[in-house]
Amino acid sequence: MYYKHYGNTNMKVSAIGMGCMRYDAEDVKAENLEKCAEIALYAHEKGINYFDTAPFYCEDKSEIITGMALSQLPRDSYFISSKTNMGTVGGDHTAEDFRRRLETSLSRLKVDYLDFYHLWCVLSMDSFSKQCDALYRFFEDAKADGLIRNIVFSSHMQGTELEDAVEQDLFKGMLIGYNALNYRFRQSGIEAAHKKGMGVVVMNPLGGGLIPNNPETFRYLTEGTDLTVPQAALNFVASHKEITITLAGCTTKEHIDDACRAVENLKERPAREIYEEYEHKGVALNNLCTGCAYCKHCPKNIDIPKFMDAYNEKLLGNKMENRLKNHWHIPASQAAECIKCGKCERLCTQHLPIIERLDEIATTCAS
Ligand code: SF4
Ligand code: SF4
């Protein structure tokens, strides 16, 4: 395993981190939690020492599973990260509400402290300011009490907004979505963070599955290597000097082996150099659905992530009607049931024009 320093801390972290939101769904449902925990233990055996979890992942069992695994290991052999925000804190966002949420995470993870605690899912600078005003002092108090070591944030903002967030000088690091599809739009953010001595952790390095699902489109990433397309996509991210950890969502031991293989011969390079090499290759898209499912509670029960996944196919030059019909087995006509309430667009981490896209699907695919 290749290791890097997390920002200006003395923490030596693995270049691949385990994203603990992909434990096997069937096992989670069947309460085979021990079986899921074996995956985290295997990751640790392979040298992965950074585990990223959160409340609600895997039907709210990710923290429990991860705790089940890591509590069998020496506490100084891994770093654990979890998350909170105004939504998870709930109540009136008092110090007590915040502590209750944090203590739940600590007890599920069976630890006395978290190495990284994220202000979770900041979608805009407006929400960044609001959440900092409401919660930041509670993070500081928890740190002073030894319950968390590093205060960090996770965000889906673009490069210039990330630069603004970094400028506030409040956080030790950040977690952002970054991959071969959207790097051009987020690069200035990671450069600014690196300059400030912050750690940068990357989620969604495979573009929500789009990269492995379209291997021919992304074959160029493998040039000069013997890596598979998904491995090359992980390597692409991990090789950025400005990026500390690339999270791989692992369901099986094979996924872990694949992710480890991706950084076996890692060569770190400045983001600028990578940009110049790939500038004229492949597709650059910043408007893809990542499948995060934050939008899924539609009052008309429209399965928005599936419709948006089909729209991704259109953006990649494929036929969206085929994806809806043959892969998802949902009628395009369902898109016309949207009442344009706007709830989904307010929740969308990628700020996608969901209503407009549903309209287009209803008119072009249903006819
Ligand atoms: S705007 Fe349409 S798709 Fe979005 S939540 Fe409302 S009804 Fe559902
Ligand atoms: S439409 Fe937006 S919120 Fe919904 S799954 Fe896609 S990226 Fe996530």
Side-chain angles (χ1 to χ4, degrees):
M1 176 53 64
Y2 190 94
Y3 294 89
K4 300 189 184 190
H5 272 108
Y6 187 100
N8 59 12
T9 72
N10 57 6
M11 293 165 144
K12 214 170 151 197
V13 292
S14 47
I16 292 290
M18 176 156 162
C20 301
M21 78 299 281
R22 297 258 184 274
Y23 290 118
D24 186 274
E26 291 301 312
D27 285 332
V28 169
K29 211 178 196 167
E31 292 283 336
N32 287 332
L33 306 189
E34 296 276 2
K35 196 167 163 217
C36 298
E38 281 171 22
I39 301 300
L41 284 170
Y42 184 72
H44 186 268
E45 198 182 307
K46 290 285 160 182
I48 291 175
N49 68 4
Y50 184 95
F51 295 82
D52 178 83
T53 181
F56 309 128
Y57 285 174
C58 304
E59 299 185 15
D60 207 17
K61 295 191 186 121
S62 171
E63 288 184 323
I64 297 170
I65 297 165
T66 309
M68 226 175 226
L70 299 183
S71 59
Q72 301 175 43
L73 302 165
R75 181 64 185 93
D76 60 359
S77 71
Y78 61 85
F79 300 104
I80 186 79
S81 132
S82 193
K83 313 184 182 81
T84 195
N85 61 15
M86 279 158 69
T88 60
V89 166
D92 297 325
H93 314 126
T94 62
E96 290 71 34
D97 297 329
F98 179 88
R99 253 332 143 96
R100 206 172 308 120
R101 180 72 257 175
L102 171 57
E103 277 162 7
T104 304
S105 290
L106 289 169
S107 115
R108 288 167 157 196
L109 286 160
K110 301 182 198 278
V111 289
D112 298 327
Y113 64 88
L114 297 176
D115 299 286
F116 299 92
Y117 203 34
H118 288 83
L119 174 63
W120 192 9
C121 198
V122 179
L123 291 178
S124 63
M125 272 314 282
D126 184 41
S127 124
F128 182 87
S129 308
K130 274 193 196 129
Q131 304 232 35
C132 284
D133 286 350
L135 302 180
Y136 192 80
R137 62 189 185 282
F138 304 146
F139 275 91
E140 284 190 305
D141 292 345
K143 189 175 174 202
D145 292 342
L147 301 179
I148 56 180
R149 289 206 161 157
N150 293 286
I151 308 172
V152 290
F153 73 96
S154 80
S155 174
H156 295 273
M157 292 189 287
Q158 305 300 325
T160 46
E161 284 179 304
L162 286 173
E163 286 177 65
D164 292 343
V166 163
E167 267 317 301
Q168 312 290 314
D169 258 336
L170 293 171
F171 296 90
K172 274 279 180 199
M174 65 181 189
L175 168 63
I176 60 158
Y178 192 90
N179 51 54
L181 279 162
N182 67 15
Y183 67 100
R184 295 171 205 194
F185 311 97
R186 307 205 172 173
Q187 198 170 61
S188 64
I190 64 166
E191 286 172 328
H194 185 70
K195 216 179 273 172
K196 282 266 181 207
M198 288 169 62
V200 176
V201 182
V202 163
M203 57 185 156
N204 199 22
L206 301 182
L210 275 170
I211 298 176
N213 291 339
N214 292 276
E216 287 322 312
T217 312
F218 298 99
R219 185 75 57 205
Y220 67 94
L221 291 170
T222 66
E223 276 168 26
T225 76
D226 57 356
L227 300 175
T228 61
V229 169
Q231 287 168 345
L234 288 175
N235 181 281
F236 170 87
V237 174
S239 63
H240 284 68
K241 179 165 75 68
E242 295 81 354
I243 291 172
T244 322
I245 301 167
T246 304
L247 293 181
C250 299
T251 308
T252 63
K253 291 182 178 175
E254 288 70 34
H255 291 157
I256 293 164
D257 290 338
D258 264 355
C260 293
R261 169 90 183 84
V263 295
E264 240 167 40
N265 300 306
L266 194 68
K267 282 192 188 65
E268 291 189 55
R269 295 195 291 156
R272 199 43 40 194
E273 200 180 300
I274 296 174
Y275 185 99
E276 279 159 17
E277 180 182 340
Y278 288 98
E279 198 181 354
H280 302 295
K281 296 182 186 173
V283 284
L285 292 171
N286 197 31
N287 51 359
L288 292 165
C289 167
T290 63
C292 67
Y294 278 80
C295 60
K296 76 178 176 193
H297 300 293
C298 162
K300 298 301 287 180
N301 290 323
I302 297 170
D303 199 334
I304 303 163
K306 289 182 182 157
F307 278 101
M308 293 305 108
D309 168 85
Y311 200 90
N312 281 349
E313 292 296 327
K314 174 194 157 161
L315 296 171
L316 286 165
N318 305 323
K319 283 202 175 305
M320 57 182 172
E321 47 272 46
N322 290 354
R323 183 82 173 162
L324 277 178
K325 201 170 150 196
N326 305 333
H327 185 81
W328 294 121
H329 308 291
I330 43 175
S333 56
Q334 205 194 80
E337 289 169 27
C338 169
I339 52 167
K340 303 181 173 33
C341 69
K343 186 177 168 200
C344 56
E345 290 193 357
R346 286 192 292 278
L347 294 169
C348 179
T349 56
Q350 304 302 304
H351 312 288
L352 300 180
I354 298 172
I355 300 174
E356 199 183 301
R357 290 185 180 185
L358 286 173
D359 243 358
E360 189 181 330
I361 293 171
T363 9
T364 59
C365 302
S367 49

PDB file of all heavy atoms in Angstrom, residues 1-6 11-16 43-50 77 79 244-245 263 266 268:
ATOM      1  N   MET A   1       0.844  -1.201   0.000  1.00  0.00           N
ATOM      2  CA  MET A   1       0.000   0.000   0.000  1.00  0.00           C
ATOM      3  C   MET A   1       0.884   1.258   0.000  1.00  0.00           C
ATOM      4  O   MET A   1       1.928   1.292   0.643  1.00  0.00           O
ATOM      5  CB  MET A   1      -0.915  -0.028   1.232  1.00  0.00           C
ATOM      6  CG  MET A   1      -1.797   1.185   1.439  1.00  0.00           C
ATOM      7  SD  MET A   1      -2.824   1.670   0.039  1.00  0.00           S
ATOM      8  CE  MET A   1      -3.927   0.284  -0.163  1.00  0.00           C
ATOM      9  N   TYR A   2       0.440   2.231  -0.696  1.00  0.00           N
ATOM     10  CA  TYR A   2       1.143   3.515  -0.763  1.00  0.00           C
ATOM     11  C   TYR A   2       0.540   4.427   0.314  1.00  0.00           C
ATOM     12  O   TYR A   2      -0.677   4.463   0.486  1.00  0.00           O
ATOM     13  CB  TYR A   2       0.914   4.100  -2.166  1.00  0.00           C
ATOM     14  CG  TYR A   2       1.749   5.293  -2.508  1.00  0.00           C
ATOM     15  CD1 TYR A   2       2.956   5.144  -3.190  1.00  0.00           C
ATOM     16  CD2 TYR A   2       1.331   6.584  -2.152  1.00  0.00           C
ATOM     17  CE1 TYR A   2       3.722   6.256  -3.518  1.00  0.00           C
ATOM     18  CE2 TYR A   2       2.094   7.689  -2.475  1.00  0.00           C
ATOM     19  CZ  TYR A   2       3.283   7.516  -3.156  1.00  0.00           C
ATOM     20  OH  TYR A   2       4.045   8.607  -3.484  1.00  0.00           O
ATOM     21  N   TYR A   3       1.387   5.132   1.041  1.00  0.00           N
ATOM     22  CA  TYR A   3       0.891   6.012   2.120  1.00  0.00           C
ATOM     23  C   TYR A   3       1.250   7.475   1.856  1.00  0.00           C
ATOM     24  O   TYR A   3       2.260   7.770   1.217  1.00  0.00           O
ATOM     25  CB  TYR A   3       1.470   5.577   3.478  1.00  0.00           C
ATOM     26  CG  TYR A   3       0.963   4.198   3.888  1.00  0.00           C
ATOM     27  CD1 TYR A   3       1.657   3.046   3.498  1.00  0.00           C
ATOM     28  CD2 TYR A   3      -0.207   4.043   4.622  1.00  0.00           C
ATOM     29  CE1 TYR A   3       1.190   1.783   3.838  1.00  0.00           C
ATOM     30  CE2 TYR A   3      -0.679   2.778   4.969  1.00  0.00           C
ATOM     31  CZ  TYR A   3       0.021   1.655   4.574  1.00  0.00           C
ATOM     32  OH  TYR A   3      -0.450   0.411   4.903  1.00  0.00           O
ATOM     33  N   LYS A   4       0.403   8.367   2.357  1.00  0.00           N
ATOM     34  CA  LYS A   4       0.664   9.807   2.221  1.00  0.00           C
ATOM     35  C   LYS A   4       0.421  10.463   3.583  1.00  0.00           C
ATOM     36  O   LYS A   4      -0.281   9.884   4.426  1.00  0.00           O
ATOM     37  CB  LYS A   4      -0.310  10.441   1.202  1.00  0.00           C
ATOM     38  CG  LYS A   4      -0.243   9.874  -0.214  1.00  0.00           C
ATOM     39  CD  LYS A   4      -1.085  10.736  -1.172  1.00  0.00           C
ATOM     40  CE  LYS A   4      -1.130  10.172  -2.581  1.00  0.00           C
ATOM     41  NZ  LYS A   4      -1.726  11.099  -3.562  1.00  0.00           N
ATOM     42  N   HIS A   5       0.922  11.675   3.753  1.00  0.00           N
ATOM     43  CA  HIS A   5       0.618  12.414   4.979  1.00  0.00           C
ATOM     44  C   HIS A   5      -0.692  13.169   4.796  1.00  0.00           C
ATOM     45  O   HIS A   5      -0.929  13.759   3.752  1.00  0.00           O
ATOM     46  CB  HIS A   5       1.744  13.396   5.317  1.00  0.00           C
ATOM     47  CG  HIS A   5       2.789  12.744   6.155  1.00  0.00           C
ATOM     48  ND1 HIS A   5       4.029  12.418   5.671  1.00  0.00           N
ATOM     49  CD2 HIS A   5       2.754  12.320   7.456  1.00  0.00           C
ATOM     50  CE1 HIS A   5       4.721  11.816   6.632  1.00  0.00           C
ATOM     51  NE2 HIS A   5       3.969  11.752   7.722  1.00  0.00           N
ATOM     52  N   TYR A   6      -1.537  13.123   5.820  1.00  0.00           N
ATOM     53  CA  TYR A   6      -2.804  13.850   5.723  1.00  0.00           C
ATOM     54  C   TYR A   6      -2.540  15.330   6.005  1.00  0.00           C
ATOM     55  O   TYR A   6      -2.320  15.741   7.156  1.00  0.00           O
ATOM     56  CB  TYR A   6      -3.822  13.289   6.732  1.00  0.00           C
ATOM     57  CG  TYR A   6      -5.206  13.885   6.555  1.00  0.00           C
ATOM     58  CD1 TYR A   6      -6.200  13.189   5.869  1.00  0.00           C
ATOM     59  CD2 TYR A   6      -5.504  15.149   7.057  1.00  0.00           C
ATOM     60  CE1 TYR A   6      -7.460  13.749   5.686  1.00  0.00           C
ATOM     61  CE2 TYR A   6      -6.753  15.706   6.874  1.00  0.00           C
ATOM     62  CZ  TYR A   6      -7.725  15.002   6.199  1.00  0.00           C
ATOM     63  OH  TYR A   6      -8.976  15.566   6.013  1.00  0.00           O
ATOM     64  N   MET A  11      -0.307  12.366  10.493  1.00  0.00           N
ATOM     65  CA  MET A  11      -1.009  11.102  10.264  1.00  0.00           C
ATOM     66  C   MET A  11      -0.610  10.531   8.907  1.00  0.00           C
ATOM     67  O   MET A  11      -0.792  11.194   7.880  1.00  0.00           O
ATOM     68  CB  MET A  11      -2.515  11.344  10.292  1.00  0.00           C
ATOM     69  CG  MET A  11      -3.020  11.752  11.659  1.00  0.00           C
ATOM     70  SD  MET A  11      -4.672  12.420  11.517  1.00  0.00           S
ATOM     71  CE  MET A  11      -5.400  11.827  13.029  1.00  0.00           C
ATOM     72  N   LYS A  12      -0.135   9.303   8.920  1.00  0.00           N
ATOM     73  CA  LYS A  12       0.272   8.649   7.673  1.00  0.00           C
ATOM     74  C   LYS A  12      -0.887   7.753   7.243  1.00  0.00           C
ATOM     75  O   LYS A  12      -1.167   6.733   7.908  1.00  0.00           O
ATOM     76  CB  LYS A  12       1.531   7.832   7.937  1.00  0.00           C
ATOM     77  CG  LYS A  12       2.460   7.805   6.759  1.00  0.00           C
ATOM     78  CD  LYS A  12       3.786   7.198   7.170  1.00  0.00           C
ATOM     79  CE  LYS A  12       4.424   6.515   5.988  1.00  0.00           C
ATOM     80  NZ  LYS A  12       5.471   5.600   6.397  1.00  0.00           N
ATOM     81  N   VAL A  13      -1.545   8.134   6.181  1.00  0.00           N
ATOM     82  CA  VAL A  13      -2.773   7.432   5.783  1.00  0.00           C
ATOM     83  C   VAL A  13      -2.581   6.701   4.455  1.00  0.00           C
ATOM     84  O   VAL A  13      -1.760   7.100   3.627  1.00  0.00           O
ATOM     85  CB  VAL A  13      -3.960   8.429   5.648  1.00  0.00           C
ATOM     86  CG1 VAL A  13      -4.348   8.987   6.999  1.00  0.00           C
ATOM     87  CG2 VAL A  13      -3.620   9.562   4.693  1.00  0.00           C
ATOM     88  N   SER A  14      -3.359   5.655   4.254  1.00  0.00           N
ATOM     89  CA  SER A  14      -3.241   4.897   3.007  1.00  0.00           C
ATOM     90  C   SER A  14      -3.836   5.699   1.845  1.00  0.00           C
ATOM     91  O   SER A  14      -4.843   6.396   2.008  1.00  0.00           O
ATOM     92  CB  SER A  14      -3.962   3.554   3.144  1.00  0.00           C
ATOM     93  OG  SER A  14      -5.250   3.720   3.710  1.00  0.00           O
ATOM     94  N   ALA A  15      -3.181   5.587   0.680  1.00  0.00           N
ATOM     95  CA  ALA A  15      -3.659   6.344  -0.495  1.00  0.00           C
ATOM     96  C   ALA A  15      -5.053   5.893  -0.903  1.00  0.00           C
ATOM     97  O   ALA A  15      -5.818   6.648  -1.509  1.00  0.00           O
ATOM     98  CB  ALA A  15      -2.684   6.153  -1.652  1.00  0.00           C
ATOM     99  N   ILE A  16      -5.398   4.650  -0.588  1.00  0.00           N
ATOM    100  CA  ILE A  16      -6.773   4.177  -0.792  1.00  0.00           C
ATOM    101  C   ILE A  16      -7.439   4.104   0.574  1.00  0.00           C
ATOM    102  O   ILE A  16      -6.875   3.551   1.529  1.00  0.00           O
ATOM    103  CB  ILE A  16      -6.786   2.768  -1.436  1.00  0.00           C
ATOM    104  CG1 ILE A  16      -6.279   2.800  -2.876  1.00  0.00           C
ATOM    105  CG2 ILE A  16      -8.202   2.157  -1.390  1.00  0.00           C
ATOM    106  CD1 ILE A  16      -7.172   3.481  -3.898  1.00  0.00           C
ATOM    107  N   ALA A  43      -9.708  -5.249   4.312  1.00  0.00           N
ATOM    108  CA  ALA A  43      -9.109  -3.991   3.828  1.00  0.00           C
ATOM    109  C   ALA A  43      -7.930  -3.604   4.719  1.00  0.00           C
ATOM    110  O   ALA A  43      -6.857  -3.223   4.242  1.00  0.00           O
ATOM    111  CB  ALA A  43     -10.165  -2.886   3.831  1.00  0.00           C
ATOM    112  N   HIS A  44      -8.134  -3.730   6.023  1.00  0.00           N
ATOM    113  CA  HIS A  44      -7.069  -3.387   6.978  1.00  0.00           C
ATOM    114  C   HIS A  44      -5.858  -4.303   6.782  1.00  0.00           C
ATOM    115  O   HIS A  44      -4.708  -3.845   6.782  1.00  0.00           O
ATOM    116  CB  HIS A  44      -7.637  -3.484   8.399  1.00  0.00           C
ATOM    117  CG  HIS A  44      -6.683  -3.020   9.456  1.00  0.00           C
ATOM    118  ND1 HIS A  44      -5.816  -3.868  10.103  1.00  0.00           N
ATOM    119  CD2 HIS A  44      -6.433  -1.781   9.973  1.00  0.00           C
ATOM    120  CE1 HIS A  44      -5.096  -3.187  10.982  1.00  0.00           C
ATOM    121  NE2 HIS A  44      -5.459  -1.903  10.924  1.00  0.00           N
ATOM    122  N   GLU A  45      -6.141  -5.580   6.567  1.00  0.00           N
ATOM    123  CA  GLU A  45      -5.063  -6.559   6.328  1.00  0.00           C
ATOM    124  C   GLU A  45      -4.230  -6.169   5.103  1.00  0.00           C
ATOM    125  O   GLU A  45      -3.037  -6.400   5.041  1.00  0.00           O
ATOM    126  CB  GLU A  45      -5.760  -7.898   6.082  1.00  0.00           C
ATOM    127  CG  GLU A  45      -4.921  -9.135   6.228  1.00  0.00           C
ATOM    128  CD  GLU A  45      -5.806 -10.351   5.886  1.00  0.00           C
ATOM    129  OE1 GLU A  45      -6.900 -10.484   6.466  1.00  0.00           O
ATOM    130  OE2 GLU A  45      -5.391 -11.131   5.007  1.00  0.00           O
ATOM    131  N   LYS A  46      -4.906  -5.550   4.128  1.00  0.00           N
ATOM    132  CA  LYS A  46      -4.220  -5.167   2.888  1.00  0.00           C
ATOM    133  C   LYS A  46      -3.515  -3.814   3.001  1.00  0.00           C
ATOM    134  O   LYS A  46      -3.041  -3.258   2.021  1.00  0.00           O
ATOM    135  CB  LYS A  46      -5.242  -5.102   1.737  1.00  0.00           C
ATOM    136  CG  LYS A  46      -5.755  -6.457   1.343  1.00  0.00           C
ATOM    137  CD  LYS A  46      -4.692  -7.184   0.569  1.00  0.00           C
ATOM    138  CE  LYS A  46      -4.894  -8.667   0.527  1.00  0.00           C
ATOM    139  NZ  LYS A  46      -3.846  -9.369  -0.187  1.00  0.00           N
ATOM    140  N   GLY A  47      -3.548  -3.221   4.188  1.00  0.00           N
ATOM    141  CA  GLY A  47      -2.814  -1.965   4.401  1.00  0.00           C
ATOM    142  C   GLY A  47      -3.687  -0.716   4.397  1.00  0.00           C
ATOM    143  O   GLY A  47      -3.178   0.392   4.584  1.00  0.00           O
ATOM    144  N   ILE A  48      -4.982  -0.872   4.149  1.00  0.00           N
ATOM    145  CA  ILE A  48      -5.872   0.305   4.179  1.00  0.00           C
ATOM    146  C   ILE A  48      -6.081   0.694   5.646  1.00  0.00           C
ATOM    147  O   ILE A  48      -6.439  -0.150   6.464  1.00  0.00           O
ATOM    148  CB  ILE A  48      -7.216  -0.027   3.481  1.00  0.00           C
ATOM    149  CG1 ILE A  48      -6.974  -0.211   1.972  1.00  0.00           C
ATOM    150  CG2 ILE A  48      -8.267   1.051   3.764  1.00  0.00           C
ATOM    151  CD1 ILE A  48      -8.175  -0.659   1.178  1.00  0.00           C
ATOM    152  N   ASN A  49      -5.809   1.968   5.966  1.00  0.00           N
ATOM    153  CA  ASN A  49      -5.958   2.361   7.372  1.00  0.00           C
ATOM    154  C   ASN A  49      -6.917   3.533   7.568  1.00  0.00           C
ATOM    155  O   ASN A  49      -7.015   4.073   8.669  1.00  0.00           O
ATOM    156  CB  ASN A  49      -4.590   2.654   8.018  1.00  0.00           C
ATOM    157  CG  ASN A  49      -3.923   3.897   7.441  1.00  0.00           C
ATOM    158  OD1 ASN A  49      -4.503   4.593   6.604  1.00  0.00           O
ATOM    159  ND2 ASN A  49      -2.714   4.197   7.890  1.00  0.00           N
ATOM    160  N   TYR A  50      -7.624   3.927   6.501  1.00  0.00           N
ATOM    161  CA  TYR A  50      -8.591   5.032   6.613  1.00  0.00           C
ATOM    162  C   TYR A  50      -9.976   4.489   6.251  1.00  0.00           C
ATOM    163  O   TYR A  50     -10.169   3.926   5.161  1.00  0.00           O
ATOM    164  CB  TYR A  50      -8.192   6.161   5.659  1.00  0.00           C
ATOM    165  CG  TYR A  50      -9.064   7.400   5.769  1.00  0.00           C
ATOM    166  CD1 TYR A  50      -8.687   8.476   6.578  1.00  0.00           C
ATOM    167  CD2 TYR A  50     -10.254   7.500   5.054  1.00  0.00           C
ATOM    168  CE1 TYR A  50      -9.484   9.612   6.675  1.00  0.00           C
ATOM    169  CE2 TYR A  50     -11.051   8.632   5.146  1.00  0.00           C
ATOM    170  CZ  TYR A  50     -10.667   9.688   5.954  1.00  0.00           C
ATOM    171  OH  TYR A  50     -11.457  10.817   6.047  1.00  0.00           O
ATOM    172  N   SER A  77      -3.968   1.603  14.792  1.00  0.00           N
ATOM    173  CA  SER A  77      -3.635   1.038  13.474  1.00  0.00           C
ATOM    174  C   SER A  77      -4.617   1.482  12.392  1.00  0.00           C
ATOM    175  O   SER A  77      -4.538   1.034  11.263  1.00  0.00           O
ATOM    176  CB  SER A  77      -3.608  -0.492  13.548  1.00  0.00           C
ATOM    177  OG  SER A  77      -4.918  -1.006  13.692  1.00  0.00           O
ATOM    178  N   PHE A  79      -7.555   4.908  11.056  1.00  0.00           N
ATOM    179  CA  PHE A  79      -8.170   6.214  11.241  1.00  0.00           C
ATOM    180  C   PHE A  79      -9.639   6.085  10.853  1.00  0.00           C
ATOM    181  O   PHE A  79      -9.956   5.483   9.819  1.00  0.00           O
ATOM    182  CB  PHE A  79      -7.488   7.267  10.359  1.00  0.00           C
ATOM    183  CG  PHE A  79      -6.029   7.422  10.667  1.00  0.00           C
ATOM    184  CD1 PHE A  79      -5.067   6.887   9.824  1.00  0.00           C
ATOM    185  CD2 PHE A  79      -5.613   8.071  11.818  1.00  0.00           C
ATOM    186  CE1 PHE A  79      -3.714   7.006  10.108  1.00  0.00           C
ATOM    187  CE2 PHE A  79      -4.249   8.198  12.121  1.00  0.00           C
ATOM    188  CZ  PHE A  79      -3.303   7.664  11.265  1.00  0.00           C
ATOM    189  N   THR A 244      -5.014  13.341  -0.938  1.00  0.00           N
ATOM    190  CA  THR A 244      -4.394  12.478   0.062  1.00  0.00           C
ATOM    191  C   THR A 244      -4.932  11.054  -0.035  1.00  0.00           C
ATOM    192  O   THR A 244      -4.182  10.098  -0.109  1.00  0.00           O
ATOM    193  CB  THR A 244      -4.689  13.025   1.478  1.00  0.00           C
ATOM    194  OG1 THR A 244      -4.643  14.445   1.457  1.00  0.00           O
ATOM    195  CG2 THR A 244      -3.687  12.503   2.486  1.00  0.00           C
ATOM    196  N   ILE A 245      -6.264  10.931  -0.018  1.00  0.00           N
ATOM    197  CA  ILE A 245      -6.884   9.593   0.036  1.00  0.00           C
ATOM    198  C   ILE A 245      -7.963   9.490  -1.042  1.00  0.00           C
ATOM    199  O   ILE A 245      -8.770  10.406  -1.224  1.00  0.00           O
ATOM    200  CB  ILE A 245      -7.549   9.358   1.418  1.00  0.00           C
ATOM    201  CG1 ILE A 245      -6.518   9.475   2.536  1.00  0.00           C
ATOM    202  CG2 ILE A 245      -8.247   7.997   1.481  1.00  0.00           C
ATOM    203  CD1 ILE A 245      -7.118   9.568   3.920  1.00  0.00           C
ATOM    204  N   VAL A 263      -2.971   1.373  -6.863  1.00  0.00           N
ATOM    205  CA  VAL A 263      -1.952   2.315  -6.364  1.00  0.00           C
ATOM    206  C   VAL A 263      -0.613   1.622  -6.091  1.00  0.00           C
ATOM    207  O   VAL A 263       0.247   2.197  -5.434  1.00  0.00           O
ATOM    208  CB  VAL A 263      -2.442   3.056  -5.089  1.00  0.00           C
ATOM    209  CG1 VAL A 263      -3.634   3.945  -5.408  1.00  0.00           C
ATOM    210  CG2 VAL A 263      -2.795   2.089  -3.955  1.00  0.00           C
ATOM    211  N   LEU A 266       2.241   3.760  -7.621  1.00  0.00           N
ATOM    212  CA  LEU A 266       1.731   5.131  -7.741  1.00  0.00           C
ATOM    213  C   LEU A 266       2.861   6.149  -7.932  1.00  0.00           C
ATOM    214  O   LEU A 266       3.868   6.097  -7.235  1.00  0.00           O
ATOM    215  CB  LEU A 266       0.937   5.473  -6.471  1.00  0.00           C
ATOM    216  CG  LEU A 266       0.065   6.729  -6.574  1.00  0.00           C
ATOM    217  CD1 LEU A 266      -1.075   6.506  -7.550  1.00  0.00           C
ATOM    218  CD2 LEU A 266      -0.506   7.100  -5.207  1.00  0.00           C
ATOM    219  N   GLU A 268       3.146  10.204  -7.805  1.00  0.00           N
ATOM    220  CA  GLU A 268       2.414  11.444  -7.528  1.00  0.00           C
ATOM    221  C   GLU A 268       2.864  12.549  -8.477  1.00  0.00           C
ATOM    222  O   GLU A 268       4.057  12.690  -8.737  1.00  0.00           O
ATOM    223  CB  GLU A 268       2.666  11.882  -6.084  1.00  0.00           C
ATOM    224  CG  GLU A 268       2.037  10.971  -5.068  1.00  0.00           C
ATOM    225  CD  GLU A 268       2.120  11.544  -3.664  1.00  0.00           C
ATOM    226  OE1 GLU A 268       1.672  12.675  -3.452  1.00  0.00           O
ATOM    227  OE2 GLU A 268       2.658  10.843  -2.790  1.00  0.00           O
TER     228      GLU A 268
END
